[in-house]
């Protein structure tokens, strides 16, 4: 036996079969008559309408055969489906495909088979009309044609069956839509008569079916338009512009009881096959809950608006004394009330009293008007606990009544008092404390628990605002106290600044002599020192410089804390700063036997920073890496880009730091117990470094583990701005010398004898500079007037006339205005230098004297040729 092959379009064929909805349906007389006719017409014992399913063949009609289906594997019809063509087998025993088929070798012992494909839709074969005989026979061409004709009739029956099924489904859907829909549906004929109304519409409008069907639909419309309703239909039928038909709109429908119900109405015209309007279908959606929800939403929005404005505009409302009036009017609108009040509860020795902050005007006479003014101003409080108000503010009770005149606690109203119908009094609690109340009267809304619950956010907001109001006086007092504390802090800060300035001056004056003479002794060429003396002098200078650096760090920290640290933010090349810092510490690195390496820069990175302060950051971190390194250790400077930042890391090979103590590193004066060791320092270098980095919009941090060294890193913002040309320029040269001048006169005004001798020893190395020293500004001015010098060096703190007063005298004297006066002072704070330059000093040098800087300054102002200072 050979089973039939599956056709290429098997999936589509099965879909077409199932769409007929005919499988496993009851016996149908029309199909039975076709197969009986086929039996008689062809004189065969069996005639079938066979439908080939996925794994079976099912017989819609099986005249002469008791079974109603077989497996597809033994099906003859499956072969006709596979080839999509008529299948005629005149003797099955002579056909190897069927000779051993169970239907051939066993009952019904098929010897003859003729099957014609059935294609009721999309030309897809779903089955066959089949003829079966137990004897072989010849099948003529005429018989073939007759079989095709009968098959066409079966196809039509299948199509009609499908249409009946679809129509039945449509009918069921329509009936469900009409009768079970949660929307009102009304059928109307072309004269406006109601043909049908579904249950939902009956319930919505209060009618029964027999009360509406047969009546004109105008009974369901508002009286204002019921008389014109029929004209709407006739106008549409005559081709007029539709107003409702074919469009949706919100209208009102009339309930049987007479009240109106908001609905959304959509009317559709139903046409027959000729395109004529035969009836109308009205769809009504009840909008009652939607309208109610919208109203609730508007109320909620109004409430939220009040709460939001009361909180966010509290300061403005309170400053304008409008807060309580605003809340009172909002409460009146929210509750549709004629009268409202809001008050604050004031505890007394006996019972609570009520201070009214806002109240609707209830005055009806001059006397009552005066009383209202007293209540509003807060000059009068209410104390009677046994009144409608008193029960609320004295005991915290909620009072609700719809009949004020009959309430036991109403009290008496004087003649002329406005009539009060209903009343609601609500206490305002903050925790367990009764702090206020509000009341409404003559409300258009029902006064009940639902209203109280809805007003709860308003009540809570009033509690918050009363607490804020109570805190106003306290806050004002705190503000006054803070102002006094601020003034005291500013005074203390000023005193601290003056102390630091004084300390700086007093410490720098002796350091000037210590460092200056040490430098002179070390550089002396006329009386050179021995090696031992050189070491001793070097130690003196080193200790002096260390003390000077400690002073500078303390002053830097003080300036940062006081907010007086100014930065000059500009594009700088990070490589230039690194070169500068490494060059400055080159001798220290060599002396410590440390190997310094730097990462190769892939590009000339530019950052936005203060050049001097960036160098200071690098010097601080590199100095620490030198001090806390191991013997013959290493330092590596790494640079990498992190987004829009440049990260500079200083990695040493020292003993490392425990992560638990990393946060202590940047605390001022915290040296992590290093103060007990041999390494010198104040413990504020990293604190200053962090402040400088953060003020330059950077970040700083540390990565370290004990025994693995440490990496201190910081970031600066990257920029692509052009580098200012002036950044690359050097100090003005000294090439513009006047070789013809024999000598220069330098006047030095200084009252300290030690500093005088130091300056004399320094100038002694300048062959073409003659120094004249005086101890007061007055004497210096006399010398300037009688024998003007080429340059003046002047201390600021002098006996009698100060340096600034002397400078002013020089600037006011036309004969002396050309003189260049350089300040040389122990006042070394940044503001001192800025003030000095602004006052008119040509330059501002600080003590202790930096001999190299002094030399460069003298070269610049006296225009000495190279070598003339030696």
């Amino acid at each position: 036996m050979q089973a039939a092959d599956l056709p290429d379009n098997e999936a589509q064929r099965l879909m077409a079969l199932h769409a007929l909805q005919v499988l496993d349906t009851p016996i149908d007389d029309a199909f039975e008559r076709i197969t009986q006719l086929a039996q008689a017409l062809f004189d065969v014992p069996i005639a079938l309408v066979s439908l080939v399913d996925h794994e079976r063949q099912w017989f819609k009609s099986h005249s002469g055969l008791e079974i109603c289906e077989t497996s597809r594997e033994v099906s003859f019809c499956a072969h006709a489906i596979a080839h999509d063509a008529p299948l005629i087998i005149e003797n099955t025993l002579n056909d190897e495909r069927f000779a051993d088929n169970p239907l051939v070798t066993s009952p019904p012992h098929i010897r003859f088979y003729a099957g014609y494909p059935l294609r009721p839709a999309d030309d897809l074969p779903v089955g066959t009309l089949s003829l079966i005989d137990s004897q072989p026979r010849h099948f003529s061409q005429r018989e073939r044609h007759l079989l095709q004709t009968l098959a066409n009739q079966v196809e039509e029956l299948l199509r009609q069956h499908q249409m009946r099924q679809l129509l039945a489904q449509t009918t069921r859907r329509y009936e469900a839509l009409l009768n079970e829909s949660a929307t009102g549906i009304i059928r109307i004929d072309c004269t406006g008569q109601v043909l049908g109304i579904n249950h939902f519409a009956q319930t919505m409008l209060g009618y029964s079916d027999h009360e509406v069907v047969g009546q004109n639909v105008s009974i369901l419309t508002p009286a204002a338009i019921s008389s014109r309703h029929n004209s709407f239909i006739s106008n549409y039928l005559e081709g007029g512009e539709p107003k409702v038909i074919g469009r949706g709109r919100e209208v009102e429908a009339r309930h049987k009881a007479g009240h109106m119900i908001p609905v959304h109405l959509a009317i559709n015209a139903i046409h027959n096959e000729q395109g004529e309007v035969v009836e109308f279908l009205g769809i009504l959606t009840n909008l009652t809950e939607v309208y109610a929800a919208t109203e609730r939403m508007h109320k909620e929005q109004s409430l939220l608006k009040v709460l939001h404005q009361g909180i966010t505009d509290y300061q403005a409302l309170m400053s304008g004394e409008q807060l309580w009036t605003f809340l009172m009017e909002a409460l009146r609108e929210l509750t549709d009330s004629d009268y409202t009040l809001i008050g604050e509860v004031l505890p007394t020795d006996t019972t609570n009293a009520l201070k009214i902050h806002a109240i609707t005007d209830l005055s009806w006479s001059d006397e009552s008007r005066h009383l209202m003014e007293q209540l509003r101003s807060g000059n009068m409080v209410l104390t009677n606990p046994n009144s409608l108000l008193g029960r609320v503010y004295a005991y915290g009770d909620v009072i609700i009544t719809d009949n004020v005149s009959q309430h036991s606690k109403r009290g008496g109203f004087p003649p002329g008092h406005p009539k009060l119908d209903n009343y609601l009094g609500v206490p305002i609690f903050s925790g367990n404390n009764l702090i206020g109340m509000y009341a409404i009267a003559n409300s258009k809304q029902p006064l009940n628990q639902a209203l109280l619950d809805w007003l709860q956010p308003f009540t809570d907001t009033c509690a918050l605002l009363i607490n804020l109001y109570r805190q106003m006086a306290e806050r004002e007092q705190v503000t006054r106290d803070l102002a006094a504390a601020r003034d005291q802090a500013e005074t203390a800060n000023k005193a601290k600044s003056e102390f630091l300035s004084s300390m700086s001056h007093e410490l720098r004056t002796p350091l000037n002599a210590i460092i200056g003479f040490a430098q002179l002794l070390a550089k002396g060429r006329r009386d050179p020192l021995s090696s031992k003396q050189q070491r001793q002098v070097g130690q003196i200078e080193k200790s002096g410089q260390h003390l000077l650096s400690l002073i500078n760090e303390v002053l830097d920290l003080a300036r940062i804390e006081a907010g007086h640290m100014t930065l000059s933010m500009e594009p700088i090349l990070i490589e230039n700063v690194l070169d500068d810092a490494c060059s400055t510490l080159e001798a220290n690195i060599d002396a410590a036997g440390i190997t310094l390496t730097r990462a190769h820069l892939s590009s000339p990175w530019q950052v936005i920073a203060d050049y001097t302060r960036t160098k200071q950051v690098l010097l601080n971190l590199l100095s620490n890496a030198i001090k806390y390194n191991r013997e013959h250790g290493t330092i590596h400077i790494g640079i990498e880009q992190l987004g829009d930042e440049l990260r500079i890391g200083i990695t040493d090979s020292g003993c490392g730091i425990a992560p638990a103590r990393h946060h202590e590193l940047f605390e001022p004066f915290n040296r992590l117990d290093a103060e007990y060791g041999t390494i010198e320092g104040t413990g504020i270098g990293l604190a200053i470094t962090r402040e400088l980095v953060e003020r330059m919009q950077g970040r700083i941090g540390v990565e370290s583990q004990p025994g693995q060294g440490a990496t201190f890193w910081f970031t600066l913002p990257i920029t692509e701005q052009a580098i200012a040309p002036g950044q690359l320029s050097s100090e003005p040269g000294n090439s513009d010398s006047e070789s013809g001048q024999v000598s220069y006169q330098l006047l030095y005004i200084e009252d300290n004898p030690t500093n005088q001798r130091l300056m004399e020893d320094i100038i002694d190395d300048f062959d073409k500079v003659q120094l004249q020293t005086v101890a007061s500004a007055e004497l210096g001015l006399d010398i300037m007037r009688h024998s003007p010098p080429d340059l003046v060096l002047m201390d600021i703190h002098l006996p009698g006339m100060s340096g600034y007063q002397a400078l002013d005298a020089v600037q006011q004297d036309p004969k002396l205005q050309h003189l260049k006066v350089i300040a040389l002072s122990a006042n070394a704070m940044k503001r001192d230098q800025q003030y000095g330059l602004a006052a008119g000093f040509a330059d501002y040098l600080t003590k202790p004297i930096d001999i190299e800087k002094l030399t460069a300054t003298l070269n610049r102002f006296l225009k000495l040729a190279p070598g003339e200072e030696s």
Side-chain angles (χ1 to χ4, degrees):
M1 182 188 72
Q2 179 179 338
D5 296 330
L6 291 177
D8 295 336
N9 59 353
E10 177 67 3
Q12 293 85 349
R13 191 192 69 78
L14 289 175
M15 289 178 61
L17 170 62
H18 296 156
L20 294 173
Q21 302 184 58
V22 69
L23 291 174
D24 301 313
T25 56
I27 294 174
D28 191 316
D29 291 340
F31 287 93
E32 291 296 312
R33 285 192 291 271
I34 286 286
T35 54
Q36 291 169 5
L37 176 61
Q39 277 181 297
L41 186 61
F42 294 100
D43 190 21
V44 292
I46 299 173
L48 307 171
V49 174
S50 174
L51 300 172
V52 180
D53 199 1
H54 181 59
E55 294 181 346
R56 63 171 179 161
Q57 66 172 349
W58 180 81
F59 307 127
K60 175 59 181 172
S61 180
H62 45 97
S63 296
L65 187 65
E66 294 182 358
I67 60 176
C68 62
E69 67 177 50
T70 70
S71 69
R72 181 170 177 172
E73 184 180 10
V74 300
S75 169
F76 283 66
C77 297
H79 288 270
I81 294 298
H83 297 286
D84 193 14
L87 176 65
I88 308 298
I89 305 170
E90 294 181 340
N91 190 342
T92 58
L93 296 178
N94 296 333
D95 193 320
E96 62 182 8
R97 293 175 296 174
F98 305 105
D100 58 349
N101 189 298
L103 299 178
V104 174
T105 59
S106 303
H109 297 289
I110 299 175
R111 293 293 182 270
F112 167 80
Y113 173 86
Y116 199 93
L118 301 174
R119 305 181 186 88
D122 299 329
D123 205 30
L124 293 169
V126 298
T128 64
L129 174 61
S130 305
L131 305 175
I132 295 175
D133 198 344
S134 58
Q135 299 295 326
R137 62 181 291 174
H138 175 69
F139 203 65
S140 67
Q141 191 64 36
R142 176 179 174 277
E143 289 175 317
R144 291 173 186 258
H145 179 71
L146 287 174
L147 182 59
Q148 178 183 359
T149 301
L150 288 179
N152 292 341
Q153 291 299 313
V154 174
E155 290 174 348
E156 184 61 29
L157 289 176
L158 288 172
R159 283 191 287 268
Q160 290 181 6
H161 173 84
Q162 184 181 29
M163 289 179 64
R164 287 195 300 274
Q165 292 293 323
L166 293 176
L167 182 59
Q169 290 176 357
T170 301
T171 301
R172 287 193 297 272
R173 283 195 294 267
Y174 175 77
E175 290 176 349
L177 178 64
L178 183 64
N179 299 320
E180 302 173 17
S181 174
T183 301
I185 301 176
I186 302 176
R187 293 173 53 224
I188 310 163
D189 67 13
C190 294
T191 66
Q193 301 299 311
V194 177
L195 300 175
I197 179 171
N198 72 343
H199 179 72
F200 188 90
Q202 295 174 34
T203 303
M204 178 172 62
L205 300 176
Y207 288 97
S208 61
D209 183 78
H210 71 274
E211 291 176 309
V212 178
V213 175
Q215 299 292 324
N216 192 283
V217 73
S218 60
I219 68 170
L220 305 178
T221 62
I225 65 169
S226 60
S227 61
R228 295 181 285 121
H229 195 274
N230 288 342
S231 64
F232 298 155
I233 296 176
S234 60
N235 176 68
Y236 175 78
L237 294 174
E238 293 170 3
E241 181 69 21
K243 296 183 178 180
V244 179
I245 300 171
R247 303 180 180 183
R249 60 186 294 185
E250 293 183 7
V251 297
E252 287 184 323
R254 185 167 57 185
H255 192 272
K256 180 181 178 181
H259 62 272
M260 297 301 161
I261 299 175
V263 297
H264 180 275
L265 173 63
I267 299 180
N268 296 315
I270 309 300
H271 299 77
N272 60 16
E273 294 180 356
Q274 289 73 38
E276 299 170 339
V277 176
V278 293
E279 64 179 80
F280 296 95
L281 196 65
I283 311 295
L284 290 83
T285 304
N286 193 338
L287 299 180
T288 301
E289 293 186 2
V290 175
Y291 277 33
T294 302
E295 180 65 22
R296 289 195 300 271
M297 182 184 69
H298 289 159
K299 283 286 187 182
E300 295 290 344
Q301 289 176 342
S302 298
L303 177 61
L304 289 174
K305 182 180 178 181
V306 169
L307 300 182
H308 180 266
Q309 187 173 353
I311 296 298
T312 58
D313 294 348
Y314 169 74
Q315 294 287 356
L317 290 169
M318 185 63 76
S319 62
E321 299 183 356
Q322 296 296 314
L323 175 64
W324 304 111
T325 302
F326 163 75
L327 290 176
M328 178 192 69
E329 292 298 328
L331 178 62
R332 188 175 63 83
E333 293 180 10
L334 290 172
T335 59
D336 297 323
S337 302
D338 291 336
Y339 306 107
T340 54
L341 71 80
I342 296 179
E344 178 186 2
V345 172
L346 303 177
T348 67
D349 294 337
T350 56
T351 184
N352 290 337
L354 181 68
K355 177 181 179 181
I356 293 178
H357 285 300
I359 183 171
T360 306
D361 191 0
L362 285 165
S363 61
W364 63 92
S365 63
D366 292 340
E367 183 180 357
S368 64
R369 190 171 296 107
H370 176 68
L371 176 64
M372 295 299 300
E373 290 174 356
Q374 285 186 301
L375 287 173
R376 285 199 189 95
S377 65
N379 295 328
M380 178 180 178
V381 296
L382 304 180
T383 58
N384 179 12
N386 296 313
S387 64
L388 288 175
L389 292 174
R391 298 300 301 178
V392 183
Y393 67 74
Y395 303 106
D397 295 339
V398 175
I399 303 297
I400 301 177
T401 178
D402 289 323
N403 192 343
V404 175
S405 62
Q406 299 300 318
H407 197 278
S408 60
K409 300 295 182 181
R410 70 174 178 85
F413 294 129
H417 190 287
K419 182 183 179 183
L420 301 182
D421 298 320
N422 56 27
Y423 167 84
L424 168 65
V426 181
I428 300 173
F429 285 93
S430 177
N432 294 323
N433 298 323
L434 178 60
I435 62 173
M437 70 161 289
Y438 63 81
I440 62 175
N442 293 6
S443 173
K444 309 303 185 297
Q445 296 185 24
L447 302 183
N448 49 33
Q449 186 62 42
L451 179 62
L452 276 175
D453 294 340
W454 185 75
L455 285 173
Q456 189 60 48
F458 179 84
T459 309
D460 295 338
T461 301
C462 288
L464 173 63
L465 295 178
I466 290 175
N467 282 326
L468 289 174
Y469 175 79
R470 286 180 169 181
Q471 292 168 9
M472 284 291 287
E474 181 181 352
R475 186 180 68 177
E476 290 174 358
Q477 182 60 45
V478 169
T479 301
R480 288 193 292 270
D481 293 343
L482 287 175
R486 180 198 62 212
D487 294 341
Q488 185 178 0
E490 290 178 352
T491 301
N493 188 58
K494 183 178 179 181
K496 182 184 75 173
S497 298
E498 292 175 353
F499 166 75
L500 290 174
S501 178
S502 175
M503 181 190 73
S504 171
H505 181 272
E506 295 304 321
L507 291 177
R508 284 172 181 272
T509 297
L511 277 176
N512 181 52
I514 294 171
I515 296 175
F517 279 116
Q519 290 176 344
L520 284 176
L521 287 172
K523 293 176 60 179
R525 287 185 291 273
R526 298 177 182 177
D527 299 304
L529 302 178
S530 66
S531 298
K532 181 178 180 181
Q533 291 171 329
Q534 284 282 0
R535 289 195 301 274
Q536 293 170 342
V537 169
Q539 189 62 42
I540 293 172
E541 182 183 0
K542 179 180 177 182
S543 297
Q545 293 289 358
H546 176 63
L547 181 56
L548 179 60
S549 68
L550 297 182
I551 295 171
N552 288 337
E553 285 185 347
V554 172
L555 294 177
D556 267 352
L557 185 60
R559 280 198 295 269
I560 291 173
E561 289 178 346
H564 295 156
M565 176 67 73
T566 58
L567 300 173
S568 176
M569 303 295 286
E570 58 185 351
I572 62 174
L573 282 168
I574 197 65
E575 188 171 7
N576 289 354
V577 193
L578 284 171
D579 291 342
D580 197 354
C582 291
S583 175
T584 301
L585 294 176
E586 183 178 0
N588 304 64
I589 293 171
D590 292 342
I594 290 174
T595 302
L596 173 66
T597 59
R598 285 167 54 180
H600 174 70
L601 296 182
S602 58
S603 61
W605 292 110
Q606 294 178 196
V607 295
I608 286 286
D610 182 295
Y611 185 95
T612 301
R613 296 306 177 184
T614 304
K615 178 181 175 182
Q616 183 178 350
V617 169
L618 286 168
L619 288 176
N620 284 350
L621 297 181
L622 285 170
S623 296
N624 283 350
I626 296 170
K627 286 194 296 184
Y628 298 102
N629 215 321
R630 60 179 172 81
E631 187 176 359
H632 303 299
T634 61
I635 298 175
H636 178 71
I637 302 176
I639 299 179
E640 61 177 323
Q641 182 181 5
L642 297 177
D644 56 358
E645 293 181 319
L646 196 65
R647 183 184 190 270
I648 301 98
I650 312 295
T651 303
D652 63 57
S653 57
C655 60
I657 307 158
R661 305 202 67 181
H662 284 183
H663 69 282
E664 301 178 46
L665 287 168
F666 300 99
E667 297 176 356
F669 306 106
N670 190 339
R671 299 190 60 207
L672 273 63
D673 306 325
E675 60 268 25
Y676 304 113
T678 59
I679 301 175
E680 299 174 333
T682 61
I684 62 176
L686 285 177
I688 293 173
T689 300
R690 180 185 63 181
E691 292 291 341
L692 291 175
V693 169
E694 290 179 352
R695 286 173 182 262
M696 292 189 290
Q697 309 305 312
R699 298 176 293 114
I700 190 169
V702 61
E703 299 168 359
S704 180
Q705 292 287 342
Q708 299 180 18
T711 297
F712 285 83
W713 57 266
F714 66 97
T715 67
L716 292 172
I718 295 173
T719 183
E720 296 183 358
Q721 297 182 34
I723 297 291
Q727 198 183 118
L728 303 177
S729 62
S730 60
E731 290 288 333
N734 54 9
S735 60
D736 189 19
S737 64
E738 298 179 6
S739 57
Q741 184 172 335
V742 176
S743 64
Y744 300 92
Q745 300 298 320
L746 175 62
L747 177 62
Y748 181 38
I749 305 174
E750 168 66 67
D751 64 317
N752 187 291
T754 303
N755 289 338
Q756 290 177 355
R757 287 193 297 274
L758 173 61
M759 185 61 68
E760 290 170 359
D761 289 348
I762 292 174
I763 300 301
D764 191 44
D765 285 337
F766 288 77
D767 293 337
K768 293 187 178 183
V769 177
Q770 293 184 2
L771 177 68
Q772 185 176 8
T773 303
V774 296
S776 70
E778 292 86 351
L779 185 56
L781 287 171
D782 288 340
I783 292 175
M784 290 182 221
R785 293 188 181 102
H786 293 91
S787 179
D790 296 296
L791 186 64
V792 179
L793 286 177
M794 182 160 58
D795 190 15
I796 298 296
H797 293 279
L798 294 168
M801 182 182 289
S802 71
Y804 283 109
Q805 292 172 325
L807 176 65
D808 185 62
V810 170
Q811 293 172 336
Q812 298 300 322
D813 192 334
K815 295 181 179 180
L816 302 180
Q817 288 178 349
H818 67 283
L819 289 178
K820 300 293 185 182
V821 182
I822 298 174
L824 180 57
S825 174
N827 291 353
M829 297 183 75
K830 187 72 173 179
R831 57 183 176 84
D832 296 322
Q833 299 177 38
Q834 293 174 342
Y835 182 77
L837 294 174
F841 283 109
D843 205 343
Y844 194 104
L845 303 179
T846 61
K847 299 175 183 178
I849 296 174
D850 185 328
I851 294 180
E852 292 186 358
K853 188 172 183 180
L854 175 64
T855 299
T857 303
L858 293 177
N859 288 343
R860 186 167 77 252
F861 284 98
L862 295 178
K863 294 182 172 42
L864 297 174
E868 291 184 355
E869 70 275 14
S870 58

